[in-house]
Amino acid sequence: AYQLIKFEGDYYFVNDYNKIIKNGSIPLTAKFTAQYGLPEGKYEFDADGKMIIKHGVVGDYLYINGEMQKAYQLIEFEGDYYFVNDYNKILKNKRIALGAKFTVDVVLPDGSMLEPGNFFFDADGKMIFN
């Protein structure tokens, strides 16, 4: 009981009475996650007991390999750019001015550098280039 295990590529948490958690969630400290390189945090488990590792946009948040991305950064993810704003939420359906702090060293798909300016983020949180 009380251990995170990896079996056939999936993670399971063994809880009370040596049973795995199913259809639930539990906060896991580094004591349980560090050996697998996972950040500590609250994890969800599906009907089979497999840990659900969030990756990509989930609701208003951007996760990369299970780790929620923190506020005030422009992030390239799978070829698209997202801005993580207040409360760690991605910006959606809004225009925002991004200064050099956010655009420095950002290389666009066409090889050009991103210049400071006003940018629109669509309903999915993706930066729209006009």
Side-chain angles (χ1 to χ4, degrees):
Y2 305 111
Q3 62 177 326
L4 183 65
I5 60 169
K6 186 173 184 178
F7 178 70
E8 294 182 353
D10 292 303
Y11 298 97
Y12 301 84
F13 190 79
V14 182
N15 206 357
D16 296 330
Y17 307 106
N18 299 319
K19 293 183 179 183
I20 61 172
I21 292 178
K22 294 181 179 182
N23 292 322
S25 62
I26 186 170
L28 296 175
T29 63
K31 171 184 172 183
F32 299 107
T33 61
Q35 67 181 329
Y36 299 112
L38 297 171
E40 60 181 72
K42 188 172 185 178
Y43 287 91
E44 297 176 30
F45 296 85
D46 67 14
D48 295 325
K50 295 177 184 175
M51 179 188 282
I52 300 168
I53 302 214
K54 296 176 182 175
H55 190 69
V57 175
V58 179
D60 290 330
Y61 304 95
L62 176 62
Y63 292 85
I64 298 177
N65 297 324
E67 190 166 354
M68 180 190 295
Q69 300 304 293
K70 303 298 180 194
Y72 309 116
Q73 56 178 327
L74 182 65
I75 299 172
E76 186 273 329
F77 178 73
E78 295 183 349
D80 291 304
Y81 289 86
Y82 299 84
F83 187 76
V84 183
N85 204 10
D86 298 326
Y87 307 105
N88 303 327
K89 292 183 177 185
I90 60 171
L91 197 65
K92 292 181 178 181
N93 289 320
K94 290 200 175 194
R95 182 172 297 281
I96 189 172
L98 295 177
K101 172 183 175 183
F102 297 108
T103 61
V104 67
D105 297 329
V106 175
V107 180
L108 299 175
D110 67 2
S112 66
M113 301 300 289
L114 183 63
E115 297 292 328
N118 291 310
F119 299 93
F120 182 76
F121 294 83
D122 70 11
D124 296 323
K126 296 176 183 177
M127 179 188 282
I128 302 299
F129 296 97
N130 299 352

